[in-house]
Amino acid sequence: MPNETGPLVVVLAYDGLCTFEFGLAVEVFGLPRPEMGPGWYRFAVAGLDPGPLRATGGVRLLVDGGLDLLEAAEIIVVPGWRGADVPVPDALCASLRRAAARGARLLSICSGVFVLAAAGLLDGRHATTHWRHAARLAERYPAIAVEADVLYVDEGQVLTSAGSAAGLDLCLHLVRRDFGAEAANAVARRLVVPAHRDGGQAQFIERPVPRAPVGARVAPVLDHMLARLDRPHPLPALARIAGMSLRSFLRHFRAATGLAPGEWLLQQRLERARELLETGNAGIEQIAQACGFGTAATLRHHFHRRLGLGPSDYRRRFRREGAGAQAFPRSKVQGPVVPPPATGLAPGDG
């Protein structure tokens, strides 16, 4: 634990450990990151069973201590579980309940949700897990509102992710909550992953990755729309820019971006509004007009529908340190356009 003041993250290890899910938590919270300063996360591994523990892939693991480490943890990560129908020991459930009672945050990756559910920490809350386990979770724990089509769910103190790779999305989300957007972006850059992916819920998309290379005839249309987010873009006009019939344009556009033109444009407008809210002092009405929403009411509607909170709340939550300069009008787009991915990305099976 090289840092002295940062939140203590304790990751649970158990015999039969899900290696990949465990590695995600280590990668985000356990690596030395001197560039983040002395307040970065501290890290330890708590063993449920006497060691050395066996992990998937023939790995043997020595841990820092037992369940007593959970007593001091400020964040507890449950990286998968032995199986949806494998009982969770009473001692572990009791430790997690005590941790929650004193305010520790609890995070599960994939099937780790069954550990939190067994401890009764998800009753009356929304939660997610891998799509293969979602029906089983809902059947066994009817007091949980299971969200089967999202990458992760943030319920404040308790956070759950979908399949294995979605655990990385959730860990980066927690970094953003704790240290801000710039810190999450820095960690994502080191991992060579997007800081946020669209999972069909209130995820805050940072810089999406392309689903497929953008076709040569579609790319100029994307450039045109991005440079004029404050203007309407009728489909026939866009098809003319691409030099295609409307039917061919719609087919090529969806093949390149995974979305219809209107949906893609809405995502870009929301991304631009997010950027202005994080970095500038402009009013909500002014941002709405600059991003093509027309009115503040329309901007608020889309923010609430997509992100689960309003523009003003978003600004208070994610305003970047030192922000103040008004960041529009948008500068001309440079380099290749990067469209967002299709929704419904398939996570792993952990």
Side-chain angles (χ1 to χ4, degrees):
M1 293 184 284
N3 298 321
E4 298 296 331
T5 61
L8 174 59
V9 178
V10 176
V11 180
L12 180 70
Y14 46 88
D15 203 47
L17 178 67
C18 298
T19 306
F20 180 69
E21 290 82 344
F22 176 78
L24 295 178
V26 173
E27 186 71 27
V28 175
F29 303 116
L31 297 188
R33 298 185 187 274
E35 70 276 12
M36 296 299 186
W40 189 248
Y41 299 105
R42 296 175 292 147
F43 186 82
V45 180
L48 172 62
D49 308 296
L53 303 176
R54 295 170 297 174
T56 304
V59 176
R60 298 283 177 144
L61 186 70
L62 295 176
V63 299
D64 298 307
L67 292 182
D68 56 300
L69 287 175
L70 301 184
E71 302 299 327
E74 295 165 80
I75 299 169
I76 297 172
V77 181
V78 183
W81 184 236
R82 296 162 176 158
D85 296 314
V86 176
V88 180
D90 292 339
L92 175 57
C93 291
S95 293
L96 294 175
R97 285 194 291 266
R98 286 194 299 270
R102 61 176 173 77
R105 288 175 288 172
L106 300 105
L107 182 155
S108 70
I109 299 176
C110 196
S111 56
V113 72
F114 287 93
V115 176
L116 301 185
L121 298 172
L122 294 174
D123 290 353
R125 301 178 187 265
H126 291 258
T128 192
T129 186
H130 191 281
W131 55 266
R132 290 178 60 193
H133 307 317
R136 185 68 177 135
L137 180 65
E139 176 187 353
R140 287 189 61 189
Y141 300 99
I144 301 173
V146 179
E147 304 282 350
D149 59 348
V150 300
L151 291 178
Y152 59 82
V153 172
D154 180 349
E155 278 276 1
Q157 185 183 14
V158 183
L159 305 92
T160 55
S161 87
S164 305
L168 183 56
D169 297 283
L170 179 53
C171 291
L172 288 171
H173 171 71
L174 188 59
V175 170
R176 181 173 181 137
R177 266 183 51 176
D178 288 348
F179 294 96
E182 295 301 327
N185 293 346
V187 175
R189 281 194 298 272
R190 280 186 55 175
L191 290 168
V192 197
V193 297
H196 293 276
R197 293 189 293 159
D198 184 2
Q201 63 167 105
Q203 261 58 292
F204 302 100
I205 306 164
E206 188 62 28
R207 285 290 180 264
V209 295
R211 180 188 183 194
V214 179
R217 297 172 72 181
V218 174
V221 179
L222 304 183
D223 285 339
H224 175 85
M225 296 165 76
L226 281 171
R228 300 165 180 82
L229 289 177
D230 58 331
R231 304 180 194 177
H233 294 285
L235 290 176
L238 297 178
R240 285 195 296 272
I241 294 172
M244 303 179 188
S245 69
L246 180 57
R247 184 175 179 180
S248 293
F249 168 71
L250 293 175
R251 184 174 69 253
H252 281 81
F253 194 100
R254 184 173 289 276
T257 68
L259 299 169
E263 182 67 16
W264 185 88
L265 181 59
L266 175 59
Q267 288 197 0
Q268 304 310 308
R269 284 172 168 164
L270 284 169
E271 180 185 340
R272 177 59 176 156
R274 279 187 45 253
E275 181 181 349
L276 294 176
L277 289 165
E278 291 181 12
T279 60
N281 288 324
I284 304 302
E285 191 76 41
Q286 194 175 5
I287 290 175
Q289 294 175 5
C291 297
F293 291 103
T295 67
T298 302
L299 176 61
R300 291 189 187 98
H301 166 77
H302 287 293
F303 251 72
H304 276 290
R305 187 167 67 89
R306 291 300 183 91
L307 304 179
L309 74 171
S312 296
D313 289 337
Y314 183 92
R315 170 173 272 166
R316 283 191 293 270
R317 192 169 178 181
F318 295 112
R319 185 171 178 79
R320 300 179 191 175
E321 185 177 353
Q326 296 192 14
F328 61 95
R330 187 184 182 102
S331 60
K332 182 178 290 187
V333 176
Q334 301 291 333
V337 176
V338 183
T343 57
L345 297 173
D349 289 335

